[in-house]
Amino acid sequence: MTRAGIVPRIIVSWWAPGRVVDTLRGLPDRALIVILMSAMLMYLVAQAPEHARAAELDPSIPLQARMGGALLGVMFIMPLLAYALAALVSALSRATSRPIGAVESRLALFWALLAASPAVLLAGLVAGLIGPGPALTLTRALAGLGFVMIWAAGLRTLTRKT
């Protein structure tokens, strides 16, 4: 991969995720935390339009309270769940012929979360501007499918024998 930087890597991850994850192999844990927390920040920002819409439609719960709850969930609870999921995948992979280490499992998961963030941001805009309906279902499905595709390609790349 000739272009460096996060944004070009995120873009390339949508058509060559394995190649991008391979270039990230060997990142230290502190860099993986930055990737995870950047993804979580994008997910928090993506929720703002939907919470603003909900607060406008039902003012009994103000926007600040809604965003406070989202902040707690996305920035504090979700990273813990991401670490737990990466550890579970690593542990379960030991039962297969292609085990993956804990660090590699975290890399694949955390990068997939960050690489899927543009689609999550789009889904957030659709949720805030259009609301429930086929467009929101489609954009959320695109974000979920993109995440799973990038995560699976990352795991496949990182489990190859070197």
Side-chain angles (χ1 to χ4, degrees):
M1 183 167 189
T2 59
R3 295 181 293 180
I6 295 297
V7 174
R9 284 186 170 121
I10 289 173
I11 294 168
V12 173
S13 288
W14 281 85
W15 68 81
R19 185 169 41 130
V20 173
V21 170
D22 198 38
T23 65
L24 299 172
R25 189 187 304 248
L27 282 178
D29 268 335
R30 63 184 178 273
L32 295 179
I33 292 171
V34 170
I35 289 172
L36 175 62
M37 295 312 289
S38 299
M40 293 299 103
L41 181 61
M42 291 296 103
Y43 284 48
L44 179 66
V45 169
Q47 291 182 20
E50 185 173 15
H51 287 307
R53 178 186 179 92
E56 189 68 30
L57 295 175
D58 178 15
S60 65
I61 303 171
L63 177 60
Q64 294 81 2
R66 294 173 190 270
M67 288 305 295
L71 176 71
L72 175 68
V74 173
M75 297 304 287
F76 295 103
I77 296 172
M78 285 301 295
L80 296 174
L81 294 176
Y83 268 92
L85 179 60
L88 179 65
V89 168
S90 177
L92 291 176
S93 75
R94 291 188 192 120
T96 68
S97 62
R98 295 170 59 170
I100 186 166
V103 174
E104 290 81 12
S105 180
R106 288 193 294 271
L107 171 60
L109 177 60
F110 297 174
W111 181 255
L113 287 167
L114 183 60
S117 65
V120 172
L121 288 167
L122 175 63
L125 280 175
V126 170
L129 297 175
I130 299 173
L136 182 58
T137 302
L138 179 66
T139 54
R140 285 186 174 163
L142 172 70
L145 184 63
F147 164 74
V148 169
M149 177 198 72
I150 295 167
W151 187 25
L155 287 171
R156 187 174 44 254
T157 298
L158 294 172
T159 56
R160 288 195 184 122
K161 305 276 191 240
T162 56

